[in-house]
Amino acid sequence: MTIASFLEMFQRFGLLFIAAVCFLEHLNLPGFPAGVIMPAIGVLVQQSALNLALALTLSVAGSVAGSYVLYLISFYGGVKVMHRLFGKSERFQGFVTRCQEKIEQHQAKGLFLCRLIPVLRTISSIPAGLFRVPAKDFLLWSGLGITVWNSVLIGFGYLGANVILSRI
């Protein structure tokens, strides 16, 4: 997705586009890197005078929903489905192992920590599902971590919009 197509979609669909992009980003679909998309959402919200609180709420709702879908696929599909979707790459397995260690060390609270670490944050749904973290714990701790992450990145774009746009 190019920045031009992102801007066009945002202008066309507004706040609903935020939820959709965040949903897809948490399904680990290529083309939606949070480090670019989230600050861009902040800039666009500030420039369009949309409601920041509503934009953050929709970003969290979309992110949690995408994470939960991946959690459910992992929970019910198991390792076979995950290998089919993501392959057997050592790099991917390393990320899953790091998430698993955090979850084992800190229990469900480890999901909160994983949600704050780039790369681990979007794949933490997979080990949580594979290792059968209870859904209510998954949603609580993932939701808290996602809220922090999205708020920081969207807030960065929102507060820095004038500086960012003056350099373009």
Side-chain angles (χ1 to χ4, degrees):
M1 172 174 273
T2 66
I3 193 68
S5 62
F6 180 80
L7 292 170
E8 180 185 326
M9 297 287 278
F10 182 80
Q11 288 174 335
R12 191 169 183 193
F13 299 108
L15 291 172
L16 290 177
F17 182 64
I18 293 171
V21 165
C22 292
F23 177 83
L24 294 172
E25 194 256 337
H26 275 77
L27 284 176
N28 290 305
L29 295 177
F32 296 101
V36 174
I37 296 298
M38 297 293 176
I41 288 170
V43 170
L44 292 170
V45 167
Q46 197 271 346
Q47 293 298 304
S48 65
L50 293 172
N51 184 303
L52 178 61
L54 182 57
L56 286 170
T57 300
L58 288 172
S59 79
V60 170
S63 297
V64 169
S67 294
Y68 193 57
V69 167
L70 201 53
Y71 165 85
L72 291 173
I73 292 169
S74 301
F75 191 92
Y76 292 109
V79 174
K80 286 183 182 180
V81 170
M82 289 301 102
H83 281 294
R84 216 178 268 163
L85 291 175
F86 296 102
K88 298 179 181 180
S89 80
E90 288 182 26
R91 185 173 181 205
F92 175 74
Q93 295 303 323
F95 291 134
V96 170
T97 301
R98 285 179 57 199
C99 286
Q100 176 190 353
E101 289 167 357
K102 295 225 180 290
I103 292 169
E104 286 176 350
Q105 182 180 10
H106 302 285
Q107 296 153 1
K109 294 173 189 170
L111 284 167
F112 175 80
L113 297 173
C114 288
R115 294 293 180 187
L116 303 177
I117 301 170
V119 180
L120 297 187
R121 60 182 216 72
T122 56
I123 67 160
S124 59
S125 302
I126 296 169
L130 292 175
F131 301 111
R132 309 254 186 228
V133 170
K136 68 179 178 76
D137 291 337
F138 172 80
L139 291 170
L140 171 70
W141 293 106
S142 289
L144 290 172
I146 287 168
T147 299
V148 169
W149 180 268
N150 289 11
S151 295
V152 167
L153 288 180
I154 291 173
F156 172 76
Y158 186 85
L159 295 174
N162 293 330
V163 172
I164 292 167
L165 293 174
S166 71
R167 294 184 184 209
I168 294 178

PDB file of all heavy atoms in Angstrom, residues 111-140:
ATOM      1  N   LEU A 111       1.621 -11.080  27.824  1.00  0.00           N
ATOM      2  CA  LEU A 111       1.040 -10.563  26.582  1.00  0.00           C
ATOM      3  C   LEU A 111       1.150  -9.048  26.529  1.00  0.00           C
ATOM      4  O   LEU A 111       1.395  -8.474  25.476  1.00  0.00           O
ATOM      5  CB  LEU A 111      -0.433 -10.971  26.470  1.00  0.00           C
ATOM      6  CG  LEU A 111      -0.681 -12.417  26.090  1.00  0.00           C
ATOM      7  CD1 LEU A 111      -2.130 -12.783  26.322  1.00  0.00           C
ATOM      8  CD2 LEU A 111      -0.280 -12.644  24.650  1.00  0.00           C
ATOM      9  N   PHE A 112       0.953  -8.404  27.679  1.00  0.00           N
ATOM     10  CA  PHE A 112       1.085  -6.946  27.732  1.00  0.00           C
ATOM     11  C   PHE A 112       2.493  -6.549  27.302  1.00  0.00           C
ATOM     12  O   PHE A 112       2.673  -5.645  26.487  1.00  0.00           O
ATOM     13  CB  PHE A 112       0.787  -6.445  29.147  1.00  0.00           C
ATOM     14  CG  PHE A 112       1.014  -4.967  29.319  1.00  0.00           C
ATOM     15  CD1 PHE A 112       0.058  -4.056  28.890  1.00  0.00           C
ATOM     16  CD2 PHE A 112       2.177  -4.484  29.897  1.00  0.00           C
ATOM     17  CE1 PHE A 112       0.260  -2.692  29.036  1.00  0.00           C
ATOM     18  CE2 PHE A 112       2.388  -3.127  30.051  1.00  0.00           C
ATOM     19  CZ  PHE A 112       1.424  -2.230  29.615  1.00  0.00           C
ATOM     20  N   LEU A 113       3.500  -7.235  27.842  1.00  0.00           N
ATOM     21  CA  LEU A 113       4.891  -6.934  27.491  1.00  0.00           C
ATOM     22  C   LEU A 113       5.146  -7.191  26.004  1.00  0.00           C
ATOM     23  O   LEU A 113       5.802  -6.390  25.336  1.00  0.00           O
ATOM     24  CB  LEU A 113       5.838  -7.766  28.347  1.00  0.00           C
ATOM     25  CG  LEU A 113       5.786  -7.510  29.849  1.00  0.00           C
ATOM     26  CD1 LEU A 113       6.652  -8.514  30.588  1.00  0.00           C
ATOM     27  CD2 LEU A 113       6.203  -6.088  30.168  1.00  0.00           C
ATOM     28  N   CYS A 114       4.641  -8.308  25.504  1.00  0.00           N
ATOM     29  CA  CYS A 114       4.843  -8.629  24.087  1.00  0.00           C
ATOM     30  C   CYS A 114       4.225  -7.570  23.183  1.00  0.00           C
ATOM     31  O   CYS A 114       4.763  -7.271  22.121  1.00  0.00           O
ATOM     32  CB  CYS A 114       4.243  -9.997  23.761  1.00  0.00           C
ATOM     33  SG  CYS A 114       5.178 -11.377  24.430  1.00  0.00           S
ATOM     34  N   ARG A 115       3.113  -6.998  23.599  1.00  0.00           N
ATOM     35  CA  ARG A 115       2.429  -5.995  22.776  1.00  0.00           C
ATOM     36  C   ARG A 115       3.212  -4.693  22.675  1.00  0.00           C
ATOM     37  O   ARG A 115       2.893  -3.835  21.867  1.00  0.00           O
ATOM     38  CB  ARG A 115       1.035  -5.690  23.331  1.00  0.00           C
ATOM     39  CG  ARG A 115       0.078  -6.840  23.267  1.00  0.00           C
ATOM     40  CD  ARG A 115      -0.272  -7.182  21.855  1.00  0.00           C
ATOM     41  NE  ARG A 115      -1.205  -8.307  21.838  1.00  0.00           N
ATOM     42  CZ  ARG A 115      -1.580  -8.911  20.745  1.00  0.00           C
ATOM     43  NH1 ARG A 115      -1.118  -8.523  19.588  1.00  0.00           N
ATOM     44  NH2 ARG A 115      -2.421  -9.914  20.810  1.00  0.00           N
ATOM     45  N   LEU A 116       4.240  -4.549  23.489  1.00  0.00           N
ATOM     46  CA  LEU A 116       5.051  -3.330  23.474  1.00  0.00           C
ATOM     47  C   LEU A 116       6.375  -3.511  22.740  1.00  0.00           C
ATOM     48  O   LEU A 116       7.161  -2.568  22.641  1.00  0.00           O
ATOM     49  CB  LEU A 116       5.309  -2.865  24.911  1.00  0.00           C
ATOM     50  CG  LEU A 116       4.055  -2.598  25.754  1.00  0.00           C
ATOM     51  CD1 LEU A 116       4.451  -2.211  27.168  1.00  0.00           C
ATOM     52  CD2 LEU A 116       3.177  -1.541  25.126  1.00  0.00           C
ATOM     53  N   ILE A 117       6.631  -4.711  22.238  1.00  0.00           N
ATOM     54  CA  ILE A 117       7.898  -5.017  21.576  1.00  0.00           C
ATOM     55  C   ILE A 117       7.635  -5.193  20.079  1.00  0.00           C
ATOM     56  O   ILE A 117       6.838  -6.054  19.689  1.00  0.00           O
ATOM     57  CB  ILE A 117       8.528  -6.302  22.163  1.00  0.00           C
ATOM     58  CG1 ILE A 117       8.779  -6.128  23.663  1.00  0.00           C
ATOM     59  CG2 ILE A 117       9.803  -6.663  21.421  1.00  0.00           C
ATOM     60  CD1 ILE A 117       9.180  -7.404  24.378  1.00  0.00           C
ATOM     61  N   PRO A 118       8.303  -4.378  19.236  1.00  0.00           N
ATOM     62  CA  PRO A 118       8.097  -4.536  17.790  1.00  0.00           C
ATOM     63  C   PRO A 118       8.289  -5.990  17.364  1.00  0.00           C
ATOM     64  O   PRO A 118       9.085  -6.712  17.940  1.00  0.00           O
ATOM     65  CB  PRO A 118       9.165  -3.621  17.182  1.00  0.00           C
ATOM     66  CG  PRO A 118       9.379  -2.577  18.232  1.00  0.00           C
ATOM     67  CD  PRO A 118       9.246  -3.309  19.549  1.00  0.00           C
ATOM     68  N   VAL A 119       7.580  -6.407  16.385  1.00  0.00           N
ATOM     69  CA  VAL A 119       7.494  -7.751  15.810  1.00  0.00           C
ATOM     70  C   VAL A 119       6.735  -8.693  16.753  1.00  0.00           C
ATOM     71  O   VAL A 119       5.766  -9.304  16.344  1.00  0.00           O
ATOM     72  CB  VAL A 119       8.872  -8.340  15.422  1.00  0.00           C
ATOM     73  CG1 VAL A 119       8.708  -9.737  14.838  1.00  0.00           C
ATOM     74  CG2 VAL A 119       9.596  -7.452  14.427  1.00  0.00           C
ATOM     75  N   LEU A 120       7.169  -8.800  18.013  1.00  0.00           N
ATOM     76  CA  LEU A 120       6.475  -9.688  18.945  1.00  0.00           C
ATOM     77  C   LEU A 120       5.032  -9.251  19.141  1.00  0.00           C
ATOM     78  O   LEU A 120       4.152 -10.071  19.367  1.00  0.00           O
ATOM     79  CB  LEU A 120       7.176  -9.728  20.308  1.00  0.00           C
ATOM     80  CG  LEU A 120       8.584 -10.278  20.377  1.00  0.00           C
ATOM     81  CD1 LEU A 120       9.035 -10.384  21.822  1.00  0.00           C
ATOM     82  CD2 LEU A 120       8.702 -11.609  19.682  1.00  0.00           C
ATOM     83  N   ARG A 121       4.794  -7.945  19.047  1.00  0.00           N
ATOM     84  CA  ARG A 121       3.475  -7.427  19.377  1.00  0.00           C
ATOM     85  C   ARG A 121       2.366  -7.964  18.483  1.00  0.00           C
ATOM     86  O   ARG A 121       1.266  -8.196  18.935  1.00  0.00           O
ATOM     87  CB  ARG A 121       3.473  -5.904  19.397  1.00  0.00           C
ATOM     88  CG  ARG A 121       3.835  -5.274  18.123  1.00  0.00           C
ATOM     89  CD  ARG A 121       3.852  -3.761  18.215  1.00  0.00           C
ATOM     90  NE  ARG A 121       3.369  -3.227  16.971  1.00  0.00           N
ATOM     91  CZ  ARG A 121       2.126  -3.265  16.552  1.00  0.00           C
ATOM     92  NH1 ARG A 121       1.196  -3.770  17.299  1.00  0.00           N
ATOM     93  NH2 ARG A 121       1.795  -2.800  15.387  1.00  0.00           N
ATOM     94  N   THR A 122       2.668  -8.191  17.203  1.00  0.00           N
ATOM     95  CA  THR A 122       1.605  -8.685  16.332  1.00  0.00           C
ATOM     96  C   THR A 122       1.541 -10.204  16.267  1.00  0.00           C
ATOM     97  O   THR A 122       0.503 -10.747  15.899  1.00  0.00           O
ATOM     98  CB  THR A 122       1.734  -8.119  14.902  1.00  0.00           C
ATOM     99  OG1 THR A 122       3.009  -8.419  14.391  1.00  0.00           O
ATOM    100  CG2 THR A 122       1.474  -6.631  14.884  1.00  0.00           C
ATOM    101  N   ILE A 123       2.620 -10.892  16.621  1.00  0.00           N
ATOM    102  CA  ILE A 123       2.557 -12.356  16.577  1.00  0.00           C
ATOM    103  C   ILE A 123       2.248 -12.972  17.937  1.00  0.00           C
ATOM    104  O   ILE A 123       2.076 -14.173  18.025  1.00  0.00           O
ATOM    105  CB  ILE A 123       3.840 -12.980  15.995  1.00  0.00           C
ATOM    106  CG1 ILE A 123       5.026 -12.771  16.909  1.00  0.00           C
ATOM    107  CG2 ILE A 123       4.102 -12.499  14.596  1.00  0.00           C
ATOM    108  CD1 ILE A 123       6.149 -13.722  16.640  1.00  0.00           C
ATOM    109  N   SER A 124       2.152 -12.165  18.977  1.00  0.00           N
ATOM    110  CA  SER A 124       1.909 -12.735  20.311  1.00  0.00           C
ATOM    111  C   SER A 124       0.568 -13.454  20.407  1.00  0.00           C
ATOM    112  O   SER A 124       0.371 -14.293  21.280  1.00  0.00           O
ATOM    113  CB  SER A 124       2.020 -11.655  21.390  1.00  0.00           C
ATOM    114  OG  SER A 124       1.098 -10.624  21.171  1.00  0.00           O
ATOM    115  N   SER A 125      -0.336 -13.176  19.487  1.00  0.00           N
ATOM    116  CA  SER A 125      -1.620 -13.883  19.464  1.00  0.00           C
ATOM    117  C   SER A 125      -1.416 -15.368  19.165  1.00  0.00           C
ATOM    118  O   SER A 125      -2.192 -16.207  19.629  1.00  0.00           O
ATOM    119  CB  SER A 125      -2.532 -13.300  18.392  1.00  0.00           C
ATOM    120  OG  SER A 125      -2.743 -11.938  18.619  1.00  0.00           O
ATOM    121  N   ILE A 126      -0.397 -15.675  18.397  1.00  0.00           N
ATOM    122  CA  ILE A 126      -0.165 -17.060  17.976  1.00  0.00           C
ATOM    123  C   ILE A 126       0.236 -17.935  19.155  1.00  0.00           C
ATOM    124  O   ILE A 126      -0.444 -18.929  19.434  1.00  0.00           O
ATOM    125  CB  ILE A 126       0.864 -17.115  16.824  1.00  0.00           C
ATOM    126  CG1 ILE A 126       0.272 -16.409  15.606  1.00  0.00           C
ATOM    127  CG2 ILE A 126       1.247 -18.560  16.507  1.00  0.00           C
ATOM    128  CD1 ILE A 126       1.250 -16.140  14.494  1.00  0.00           C
ATOM    129  N   PRO A 127       1.305 -17.614  19.904  1.00  0.00           N
ATOM    130  CA  PRO A 127       1.616 -18.478  21.046  1.00  0.00           C
ATOM    131  C   PRO A 127       0.529 -18.451  22.112  1.00  0.00           C
ATOM    132  O   PRO A 127       0.288 -19.454  22.782  1.00  0.00           O
ATOM    133  CB  PRO A 127       2.948 -17.948  21.581  1.00  0.00           C
ATOM    134  CG  PRO A 127       3.133 -16.614  20.982  1.00  0.00           C
ATOM    135  CD  PRO A 127       2.322 -16.576  19.717  1.00  0.00           C
ATOM    136  N   ALA A 128      -0.159 -17.310  22.246  1.00  0.00           N
ATOM    137  CA  ALA A 128      -1.250 -17.253  23.235  1.00  0.00           C
ATOM    138  C   ALA A 128      -2.333 -18.260  22.878  1.00  0.00           C
ATOM    139  O   ALA A 128      -2.872 -18.940  23.760  1.00  0.00           O
ATOM    140  CB  ALA A 128      -1.825 -15.841  23.303  1.00  0.00           C
ATOM    141  N   GLY A 129      -2.643 -18.381  21.601  1.00  0.00           N
ATOM    142  CA  GLY A 129      -3.627 -19.370  21.169  1.00  0.00           C
ATOM    143  C   GLY A 129      -3.098 -20.784  21.264  1.00  0.00           C
ATOM    144  O   GLY A 129      -3.776 -21.687  21.747  1.00  0.00           O
ATOM    145  N   LEU A 130      -1.861 -20.983  20.796  1.00  0.00           N
ATOM    146  CA  LEU A 130      -1.270 -22.324  20.830  1.00  0.00           C
ATOM    147  C   LEU A 130      -1.143 -22.860  22.252  1.00  0.00           C
ATOM    148  O   LEU A 130      -1.325 -24.049  22.490  1.00  0.00           O
ATOM    149  CB  LEU A 130       0.104 -22.314  20.154  1.00  0.00           C
ATOM    150  CG  LEU A 130       0.128 -22.088  18.644  1.00  0.00           C
ATOM    151  CD1 LEU A 130       1.568 -21.984  18.149  1.00  0.00           C
ATOM    152  CD2 LEU A 130      -0.610 -23.187  17.906  1.00  0.00           C
ATOM    153  N   PHE A 131      -0.830 -21.976  23.194  1.00  0.00           N
ATOM    154  CA  PHE A 131      -0.623 -22.406  24.577  1.00  0.00           C
ATOM    155  C   PHE A 131      -1.852 -22.181  25.442  1.00  0.00           C
ATOM    156  O   PHE A 131      -1.780 -22.228  26.662  1.00  0.00           O
ATOM    157  CB  PHE A 131       0.623 -21.737  25.155  1.00  0.00           C
ATOM    158  CG  PHE A 131       1.848 -22.073  24.359  1.00  0.00           C
ATOM    159  CD1 PHE A 131       2.483 -21.107  23.601  1.00  0.00           C
ATOM    160  CD2 PHE A 131       2.323 -23.367  24.297  1.00  0.00           C
ATOM    161  CE1 PHE A 131       3.577 -21.415  22.817  1.00  0.00           C
ATOM    162  CE2 PHE A 131       3.419 -23.686  23.526  1.00  0.00           C
ATOM    163  CZ  PHE A 131       4.053 -22.714  22.783  1.00  0.00           C
ATOM    164  N   ARG A 132      -2.966 -21.926  24.767  1.00  0.00           N
ATOM    165  CA  ARG A 132      -4.282 -21.898  25.414  1.00  0.00           C
ATOM    166  C   ARG A 132      -4.409 -20.913  26.569  1.00  0.00           C
ATOM    167  O   ARG A 132      -4.958 -21.221  27.622  1.00  0.00           O
ATOM    168  CB  ARG A 132      -4.666 -23.288  25.884  1.00  0.00           C
ATOM    169  CG  ARG A 132      -4.552 -24.353  24.826  1.00  0.00           C
ATOM    170  CD  ARG A 132      -5.904 -24.726  24.371  1.00  0.00           C
ATOM    171  NE  ARG A 132      -5.863 -25.848  23.445  1.00  0.00           N
ATOM    172  CZ  ARG A 132      -6.517 -25.822  22.311  1.00  0.00           C
ATOM    173  NH1 ARG A 132      -7.230 -24.791  21.979  1.00  0.00           N
ATOM    174  NH2 ARG A 132      -6.475 -26.845  21.501  1.00  0.00           N
ATOM    175  N   VAL A 133      -3.894 -19.709  26.362  1.00  0.00           N
ATOM    176  CA  VAL A 133      -4.138 -18.640  27.336  1.00  0.00           C
ATOM    177  C   VAL A 133      -5.650 -18.408  27.340  1.00  0.00           C
ATOM    178  O   VAL A 133      -6.259 -18.312  26.281  1.00  0.00           O
ATOM    179  CB  VAL A 133      -3.390 -17.345  26.929  1.00  0.00           C
ATOM    180  CG1 VAL A 133      -3.813 -16.169  27.779  1.00  0.00           C
ATOM    181  CG2 VAL A 133      -1.884 -17.557  27.012  1.00  0.00           C
ATOM    182  N   PRO A 134      -6.279 -18.340  28.511  1.00  0.00           N
ATOM    183  CA  PRO A 134      -7.730 -18.109  28.540  1.00  0.00           C
ATOM    184  C   PRO A 134      -8.106 -16.828  27.780  1.00  0.00           C
ATOM    185  O   PRO A 134      -7.415 -15.813  27.870  1.00  0.00           O
ATOM    186  CB  PRO A 134      -8.046 -17.973  30.029  1.00  0.00           C
ATOM    187  CG  PRO A 134      -6.940 -18.725  30.718  1.00  0.00           C
ATOM    188  CD  PRO A 134      -5.719 -18.517  29.852  1.00  0.00           C
ATOM    189  N   ALA A 135      -9.208 -16.895  27.048  1.00  0.00           N
ATOM    190  CA  ALA A 135      -9.629 -15.783  26.185  1.00  0.00           C
ATOM    191  C   ALA A 135      -9.779 -14.481  26.955  1.00  0.00           C
ATOM    192  O   ALA A 135      -9.367 -13.422  26.466  1.00  0.00           O
ATOM    193  CB  ALA A 135     -10.929 -16.137  25.466  1.00  0.00           C
ATOM    194  N   LYS A 136     -10.347 -14.521  28.163  1.00  0.00           N
ATOM    195  CA  LYS A 136     -10.538 -13.264  28.908  1.00  0.00           C
ATOM    196  C   LYS A 136      -9.195 -12.653  29.281  1.00  0.00           C
ATOM    197  O   LYS A 136      -9.034 -11.434  29.221  1.00  0.00           O
ATOM    198  CB  LYS A 136     -11.429 -13.465  30.132  1.00  0.00           C
ATOM    199  CG  LYS A 136     -10.854 -14.295  31.243  1.00  0.00           C
ATOM    200  CD  LYS A 136     -11.849 -14.388  32.416  1.00  0.00           C
ATOM    201  CE  LYS A 136     -11.343 -15.231  33.523  1.00  0.00           C
ATOM    202  NZ  LYS A 136     -10.348 -14.697  34.370  1.00  0.00           N
ATOM    203  N   ASP A 137      -8.222 -13.469  29.646  1.00  0.00           N
ATOM    204  CA  ASP A 137      -6.882 -12.953  29.940  1.00  0.00           C
ATOM    205  C   ASP A 137      -6.218 -12.414  28.681  1.00  0.00           C
ATOM    206  O   ASP A 137      -5.561 -11.374  28.703  1.00  0.00           O
ATOM    207  CB  ASP A 137      -6.003 -14.049  30.557  1.00  0.00           C
ATOM    208  CG  ASP A 137      -6.449 -14.445  31.953  1.00  0.00           C
ATOM    209  OD1 ASP A 137      -7.119 -13.644  32.626  1.00  0.00           O
ATOM    210  OD2 ASP A 137      -6.127 -15.578  32.366  1.00  0.00           O
ATOM    211  N   PHE A 138      -6.386 -13.157  27.585  1.00  0.00           N
ATOM    212  CA  PHE A 138      -5.819 -12.704  26.313  1.00  0.00           C
ATOM    213  C   PHE A 138      -6.364 -11.325  25.943  1.00  0.00           C
ATOM    214  O   PHE A 138      -5.607 -10.414  25.614  1.00  0.00           O
ATOM    215  CB  PHE A 138      -6.135 -13.708  25.198  1.00  0.00           C
ATOM    216  CG  PHE A 138      -5.744 -13.199  23.844  1.00  0.00           C
ATOM    217  CD1 PHE A 138      -4.427 -13.268  23.419  1.00  0.00           C
ATOM    218  CD2 PHE A 138      -6.679 -12.620  22.992  1.00  0.00           C
ATOM    219  CE1 PHE A 138      -4.058 -12.774  22.180  1.00  0.00           C
ATOM    220  CE2 PHE A 138      -6.321 -12.122  21.759  1.00  0.00           C
ATOM    221  CZ  PHE A 138      -5.004 -12.203  21.346  1.00  0.00           C
ATOM    222  N   LEU A 139      -7.677 -11.184  26.012  1.00  0.00           N
ATOM    223  CA  LEU A 139      -8.301  -9.915  25.619  1.00  0.00           C
ATOM    224  C   LEU A 139      -7.920  -8.783  26.563  1.00  0.00           C
ATOM    225  O   LEU A 139      -7.644  -7.657  26.111  1.00  0.00           O
ATOM    226  CB  LEU A 139      -9.820 -10.079  25.547  1.00  0.00           C
ATOM    227  CG  LEU A 139     -10.305 -10.963  24.395  1.00  0.00           C
ATOM    228  CD1 LEU A 139     -11.785 -11.269  24.544  1.00  0.00           C
ATOM    229  CD2 LEU A 139     -10.010 -10.317  23.050  1.00  0.00           C
ATOM    230  N   LEU A 140      -7.869  -9.050  27.862  1.00  0.00           N
ATOM    231  CA  LEU A 140      -7.514  -8.003  28.832  1.00  0.00           C
ATOM    232  C   LEU A 140      -6.086  -7.515  28.614  1.00  0.00           C
ATOM    233  O   LEU A 140      -5.852  -6.326  28.405  1.00  0.00           O
ATOM    234  CB  LEU A 140      -7.675  -8.517  30.263  1.00  0.00           C
ATOM    235  CG  LEU A 140      -7.120  -7.581  31.343  1.00  0.00           C
ATOM    236  CD1 LEU A 140      -7.977  -6.325  31.455  1.00  0.00           C
ATOM    237  CD2 LEU A 140      -7.040  -8.297  32.676  1.00  0.00           C
TER     238      LEU A 140
END
